[in-house]
């Protein structure tokens, strides 16, 4: 059995009820509604890009550096 709170415990219990209010606890999630989906999509993009470059490694022929010196 739980011990009765008494007058002091009741006082603090009522004073701390605001901490459990939905506006306080879910504030970050409501402030950034699409952040979770965006992070997952960006992670899938990064993994897909790495897999693509592992499978289809670009050859060095395509990257000719043309150094033009203007002196």
């Amino acid at each position: 059995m739980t011990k009765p709170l008494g007058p002091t415990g009741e006082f603090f219990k009522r004073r701390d009820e605001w901490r459990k209010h939905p506006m306080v606890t879910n504030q970050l999630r409501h402030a950034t509604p699409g952040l979770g989906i965006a992070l997952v999509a960006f992670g899938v993009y990064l993994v897909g890009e790495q897999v693509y470059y592992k499978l289809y490694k670009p050859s060095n022929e395509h990257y000719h550096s043309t150094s033009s010196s203007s002196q």
Side-chain angles (χ1 to χ4, degrees), residues 3-43:
K3 183 177 164 183
L5 292 175
T8 308
E10 269 306 310
F11 174 79
F12 285 113
K13 182 180 179 187
R14 281 184 280 131
R15 296 286 183 216
D16 286 339
E17 285 179 0
W18 67 271
R19 296 176 194 253
K20 297 175 184 161
H21 194 274
M23 287 293 286
V24 176
T25 56
N26 295 327
Q27 191 172 13
L28 181 62
R29 193 176 67 155
H30 289 300
T32 57
L35 183 64
I37 294 170
L39 288 175
V40 169
F42 186 65

Side-chain angles (χ1 to χ4, degrees), residues 29-64:
R29 193 176 67 155
H30 289 300
T32 57
L35 183 64
I37 294 170
L39 288 175
V40 169
F42 186 65
V44 168
Y45 166 75
L46 289 177
V47 169
E49 187 179 31
Q50 292 298 315
V51 168
Y52 175 79
Y53 282 126
K54 294 278 185 192
L55 293 175
Y56 304 106
K57 189 173 185 178
S59 63
N60 291 335
E61 301 175 352
H62 294 127
Y63 300 105
H64 289 277

